[in-house]
Amino acid sequence: MPRSLLRALLGMASIAPFMAGGAAPAQAQDDAMFDRLFGSAPASERAGQAADGLALPALFADGKLIADAIALHDLGAQGGACVAVLPLLEALEVAHEQASAGAHIALTLPEPRRTVTIPAAALLPSPSGDCLTLADAPAHLPLSITHDAVSQRLLIAPTAALPVLMRLAREERHSRLRPETTRPAFALLARPEAAVQLWSADLGAAIATTPQGRQVSANLLASGALLGMAGRVSLGLTNEGRITPGFTLSEARDTPDLLGPLGARSIALGDIATPAQPLIADALSGRGLVISSRAPWRADLVDTITLTGPLPQGWEAELWHEERLIAVTRQPDAAGQWQFGDIPVRIGENRWLVRLYGPNGEVSEEVFTRLVGTEMNAENEVGYSFGVVDGGTPLLGQTLAGEPAGPTAFASIDWGMASEVTARLDLRAGKQGQPAVALGLNGALGGGLWALTGARDRAGGFGGAVRLARRIGAQDVTIDLARHGRDDGPGLAPLVREFAQVMSLAGQGRIGLGRLSLPWQARVQSGSLRRGGDRHVAAARLVVPMPNWQANFALGAVQEGSAPWQGTAAMGLTARRGEWRLRSGVTASDRGGWRIDGANLSAARRVAGGNLALDLDWQADSGKLGGGVTYAKTFGPLGLSASAGREGAGWRAGVGLTLGLWRGPQRWRTAPAGIARSGAIMAEMFVDEDGDGVRGADEAGVEGGRFIVGAALRREETAADGTVLIGGIAPGPDVDIETQMSSLTDFTLRPERAGDRLALRPGEIRHVPVALRPTSSIEVQVLLVAGDRRTPRSGVTVVLHDTQGREAARARTDFDGYALFDGLSFGTYQAEAAGQSTAALAVSRDNPDAQTRLLIPAATGS
């Protein structure tokens, strides 16, 4: 209850004594009475060892609700807050032991399995038991915790595997494989019916002066719908007359209901990327068509995968895996996509995070997960993919590949022969050579995984490969043996093109070091080259992930034939220091003695409402220092950037301009660039006076409304007309949106639906009407009648009926005998308790609140 309201109630309660004496109460007397009863400061401002300020926020991790309520105690303005540690560990499903209250707590953490201790000195006493301050959590647990006081949520950012998240990931995968077993919390909104529709567009233009001359360029990226599929069109122009067009139509779903009896889950047409096929084909990009029954998140068994996504001009993409930076790219492929290929998957859960940074300070993230080790098909389950692709050649325009693979038809089918054995058949045929075929078996045996593949290539040669993988503790060990056929043409994996036969031993995992677990990778490879001779490779990598920085160390050596070994080394460091985002690296090699080959440093931060980026690089061979500075700022929807720097041939400078457009319900609107790449919701909140769910011309918008999207409370608020654009939503997976009730200043307004679920496509701007209906309330006080006395009766069930006699609501009376029914539709009601009924109670827009008393006899009330 608000403090001002309590003061008002106390003031009203003290009127009678003063009226009897003919005097009015003074404000100072009211304040003194309030302070005696409730204290002189709010609980959230009281200091002490977790004795006051109890809150019960919900616990979230990775966007998932872990617990409905966790005790959180405020420690005062300077002390922060502490969380009840035992309920927290139980919610996270972390095994723990504590001899007695106040003693140290021993934890058992997975991946790798290790034991850490929360010392007794780190624990504070509280009414909810031992508690741990939020600031100390990263020092004792593999996570950090932040408290969102507005939405009352505890948000966990894990730095290592947590048992509850591992379990939820398995359950989520199972529900996606069998979606009929999971009922959504909110109804899924149907997609708008439109044969052709344009959703959004990003426009960009740039002019630069370089040592090669003046360069002028312009680009367009537009998203829309065509015949029920998501469409993407890109176009790049330069003053040299080079035109780079692109076009893609795609559709992906969790359920196998595409193309009728085919039971497909995904389809793509235009500039596409196709999956790799063991021994006979690499992952290719180019014009073509691919249809698959496989869900987009599935991976091959103990294999490498390729991740792709749209990369607008001027953006860069970072690939993160298990809290470490893996790779960075600024160049799109032939289909206009960022692409990270040959990514090894671990046995168990794999999670990659792709961070995209735009030229004007835009930041977005996309998460990819793969669960490997149970990817064998269920018994008699059949999956497939097939299509055609012209590798290296876009749908429109000239080829960008130096050696295009050419047109190829491909097909893959897998069949669950048994619960632990899956057979796979791959076919590929092009204009040149003979059709290639590969037949393989994947399976599990004795706690390990294995794959056996035989192939006949386009040149008529035969090859084979064996892969054995096993998890030992928290470490993965993989052994590969392969003999390749005669084909070494384009379109094959680099390893197949380069080696006639090869063997390798690889390992990866985590080294437990207290609460930390350090990711590592190591590989030893030996093979015979197709051009003659042998090549031997040894490499290792170790990552030290810390809350605000990360160090990467890599060491490798290569030997060809009888030549001496040549060593290489690299060290990278990424960090966040205040507002700065830093990335640096140093490389060295052993060529007759160790020496530094080069170094680079990148730094970015927000400055004066814009984004400042600095890049420096140095190459030892030339001895030249290069780099540059870029400053970008948005003026409303308009993005402006300027850059200057030095490259190998001289100085360069340029300016750029970007703008985003999106289609609203009545007209086109502007927004910062990037809106055509991600999904967005245009929510329209209004008072639905007539209850039809559609906004009429005379129905007012609601200003200041906010929404919870997924598990995050969004900062955007509805404008005076009731509309707000909520952008940056990852396309593909279903997302829930619900109204934050505390943001509504009129507490009589309630949404007609608790929330909505929708699936967005890249660049889609979905219009979601949020109709708020005016509601009413009825307050009933139940009084026990005994002679002339009337006593409030608590714990009595009161039932509210409508005019048809149907039950509308029920409640139990509180300690003062009151039962409150709110959120009621306008109309006439009658309250009943203990066989007694009230008179008809009418509530309307003009009279939304009603109060009454219900008298019950003593015999009934007892």
Side-chain angles (χ1 to χ4, degrees):
M1 182 177 293
R3 186 183 179 95
S4 59
L5 181 56
L6 284 172
R7 291 188 187 276
L9 292 175
L10 289 172
M12 294 173 62
S14 59
I15 288 177
F18 283 98
M19 287 184 67
Q27 181 65 40
Q29 292 171 318
D30 286 343
D31 289 345
M33 180 182 296
F34 182 92
D35 292 340
R36 284 197 304 271
L37 292 175
F38 298 100
S40 59
S44 61
E45 298 176 3
R46 300 177 193 166
Q49 292 222 331
D52 296 307
L54 172 64
L56 295 173
L59 184 67
F60 282 84
D62 278 354
K64 300 179 177 66
L65 175 63
I66 305 301
D68 293 325
I70 291 289
L72 182 72
H73 295 274
D74 192 83
L75 299 178
Q78 305 300 324
C82 73
V83 62
V85 67
L86 293 182
L88 174 67
L89 296 176
E90 291 169 0
L92 298 178
E93 301 177 12
V94 174
H96 59 279
E97 293 183 1
Q98 185 182 31
S100 61
H104 72 273
I105 303 175
L107 312 178
T108 301
L109 299 176
E111 304 290 341
R113 187 177 179 86
R114 59 200 187 280
T115 300
V116 300
T117 300
I118 301 178
L123 302 176
L124 300 178
S126 80
S128 304
D130 293 330
C131 73
L132 180 69
T133 64
L134 301 189
D136 289 342
H140 305 290
L141 298 171
L143 51 84
S144 60
I145 310 177
T146 56
H147 179 216
D148 188 339
V150 177
S151 63
Q152 279 301 309
R153 298 181 178 209
L154 281 179
L155 306 176
I156 287 182
T159 56
L162 294 176
V164 65
L165 294 181
M166 297 169 66
R167 176 180 61 80
L168 292 176
R170 292 193 300 271
E171 293 178 356
E172 181 180 4
R173 175 181 173 273
H174 294 161
S175 67
R176 287 186 170 183
L177 290 176
R178 300 173 178 83
E180 68 278 0
T181 63
T182 300
R183 299 188 62 181
F186 302 128
L188 182 65
L189 294 181
R191 289 175 174 171
E193 296 290 341
V196 180
Q197 188 178 36
L198 186 60
W199 296 325
S200 57
D202 287 335
L203 306 174
I207 181 171
T209 300
T210 68
Q212 293 78 26
R214 179 174 298 176
Q215 297 179 354
V216 181
S217 63
N219 61 82
L220 164 70
L221 177 65
S223 298
L226 179 62
L227 302 178
M229 301 178 67
R232 180 182 298 274
V233 177
S234 61
L235 181 65
L237 305 173
T238 68
N239 60 330
E240 300 171 349
R242 187 169 69 247
I243 302 176
T244 308
F247 176 75
T248 303
L249 286 176
S250 63
E251 177 71 3
R253 301 179 182 178
D254 289 336
T255 53
D257 52 8
L258 283 174
L259 302 179
L262 284 180
R265 284 187 172 91
S266 63
I267 179 173
L269 171 67
D271 294 309
I272 63 168
T274 63
Q277 295 175 293
L279 296 178
I280 62 174
D282 196 9
L284 297 177
S285 296
R287 59 189 179 189
L289 166 71
V290 57
I291 299 172
S292 178
S293 68
R294 296 186 178 93
W297 58 86
R298 289 197 61 177
D300 291 335
L301 175 69
V302 198
D303 208 348
T304 60
I305 64 170
T306 299
L307 301 179
T308 63
L311 184 65
Q313 184 174 354
W315 287 63
E316 70 174 47
E318 293 181 351
L319 176 66
W320 292 74
H321 182 222
E322 295 182 343
E323 296 82 48
R324 68 182 189 273
L325 182 65
I326 300 297
V328 179
T329 183
R330 296 182 176 91
Q331 299 297 325
D333 61 12
Q337 310 273 315
W338 55 260
Q339 185 176 111
F340 297 111
D342 296 329
I343 302 172
V345 294
R346 294 188 61 198
I347 303 173
E349 183 186 24
N350 295 261
R351 183 179 186 271
W352 293 273
L353 177 67
V354 176
R355 291 194 176 106
L356 298 173
Y357 298 96
N360 297 303
E362 304 95 335
V363 180
S364 67
E365 296 181 348
E366 188 169 358
V367 176
F368 298 83
T369 58
R370 300 290 189 274
L371 188 63
V372 176
T374 57
E375 290 297 326
M376 280 77 70
N377 291 8
E379 189 170 357
N380 293 322
E381 179 188 354
V382 177
Y384 68 85
S385 64
F386 66 91
V388 293
V389 61
D390 193 355
T393 303
L395 182 65
L396 303 171
Q398 299 178 348
T399 178
L400 302 179
E403 191 178 9
T408 302
F410 66 92
S412 299
I413 186 170
D414 48 61
W415 166 49
M417 299 176 61
S419 60
E420 294 185 344
V421 179
T422 293
R424 172 167 173 166
L425 175 66
D426 292 275
L427 302 171
R428 205 169 191 95
K431 287 185 175 181
Q432 299 180 353
Q434 306 173 23
V437 59
L439 178 63
L441 295 173
N442 299 330
L445 179 65
L449 302 173
W450 58 271
L452 176 63
T453 305
R456 182 180 185 277
D457 60 28
R458 294 174 298 186
F462 291 90
V466 176
R467 170 168 289 181
L468 303 174
R470 185 177 179 85
R471 168 160 290 188
I472 303 174
Q475 323 305 325
D476 294 340
V477 178
T478 305
I479 300 174
D480 282 289
L481 303 171
R483 183 179 182 86
H484 304 141
R486 295 196 295 264
D487 187 9
D488 61 354
L492 294 173
L495 197 68
V496 178
R497 299 188 65 181
E498 193 171 10
F499 287 91
Q501 56 186 13
V502 64
M503 64 173 294
S504 66
L505 173 65
Q508 60 178 332
R510 285 178 175 267
I511 301 174
L513 188 62
R515 64 181 178 83
L516 298 178
S517 58
L518 309 183
W520 66 274
Q521 290 178 328
R523 178 172 62 96
V524 177
Q525 178 180 292
S526 179
S528 301
L529 299 169
R530 290 187 182 273
R531 55 181 170 83
D534 299 326
R535 177 183 296 167
H536 311 287
V537 178
R541 180 179 184 177
L542 180 68
V543 181
V544 181
M546 301 299 290
N548 296 315
W549 60 272
Q550 170 193 292
N552 295 263
F553 303 94
L555 188 65
V558 180
Q559 181 188 43
E560 293 211 15
S562 58
W565 286 83
Q566 293 187 354
T568 59
M571 182 184 72
L573 181 67
T574 61
R576 290 186 178 273
R577 184 72 175 177
E579 295 289 331
W580 287 98
R581 179 170 59 92
L582 306 173
R583 187 170 65 226
S584 61
V586 177
T587 59
S589 62
D590 177 18
R591 290 177 290 181
W594 283 96
R595 68 170 190 171
I596 296 177
D597 293 332
N600 63 80
L601 172 66
S602 297
R605 67 159 294 164
R606 300 286 295 178
V607 175
N611 189 66
L612 177 68
L614 304 173
D615 290 285
L616 294 174
D617 66 84
W618 173 76
Q619 298 297 326
D621 291 339
S622 62
K624 292 183 178 181
L625 185 66
V629 57
T630 301
Y631 182 74
K633 186 174 182 178
T634 57
F635 300 88
L638 194 64
L640 183 64
S641 62
S643 63
R646 178 179 176 82
E647 55 186 24
W651 291 90
R652 67 184 308 274
V655 295
L657 191 68
T658 60
L659 178 68
L661 299 172
W662 60 280
R663 186 188 184 101
Q666 285 84 29
R667 59 182 177 87
W668 281 87
R669 303 186 183 185
T670 58
I675 194 167
R677 179 182 46 79
S678 62
I681 297 174
M682 204 287 281
E684 184 175 12
M685 184 179 288
F686 63 96
V687 181
D688 189 15
E689 299 284 1
D690 55 11
D692 62 354
V694 179
R695 186 173 183 178
D698 58 344
E699 292 178 331
V702 177
E703 184 178 3
R706 298 172 68 182
F707 297 90
I708 299 172
V709 179
L713 174 63
R714 298 299 297 249
R715 302 294 181 185
E716 301 91 338
E717 294 184 352
T718 55
D721 63 352
T723 62
V724 62
L725 181 66
I726 305 173
I729 301 174
D734 295 345
V735 63
D736 292 335
I737 177 173
E738 53 185 308
T739 303
Q740 186 200 17
M741 298 302 299
S742 61
S743 68
L744 303 179
T745 56
D746 186 349
F747 296 118
T748 66
L749 296 177
R750 298 293 178 89
E752 293 187 356
R753 300 183 303 274
D756 295 299
R757 174 168 291 185
L758 63 161
L760 297 174
R761 291 166 288 182
E764 182 181 6
I765 315 297
R766 184 75 66 86
H767 177 220
V768 179
V770 181
L772 302 180
R773 59 182 179 88
T775 63
S776 60
S777 66
I778 296 177
E779 188 177 53
V780 180
Q781 185 182 29
V782 178
L783 299 175
L784 180 67
V785 179
D788 294 335
R789 298 182 59 186
R790 297 182 178 182
T791 306
R793 194 64 173 168
S794 63
V796 178
T797 300
V798 182
V799 180
L800 199 65
H801 297 280
D802 60 16
T803 54
Q804 305 297 322
R806 294 171 300 194
E807 180 179 323
R810 69 170 52 212
R812 295 179 70 87
T813 56
D814 61 13
F815 62 93
D816 277 334
Y818 285 100
L820 177 64
F821 302 94
D822 59 354
L824 300 174
S825 301
F826 299 138
T828 302
Y829 299 90
Q830 188 176 42
E832 179 187 358
Q836 306 298 313
S837 300
T838 65
L841 303 168
V843 286
S844 62
R845 183 64 164 157
D846 297 329
N847 184 28
D849 301 313
Q851 298 84 29
T852 189
R853 291 180 174 182
L854 183 59
L855 307 180
I856 59 176
T860 305
S862 60

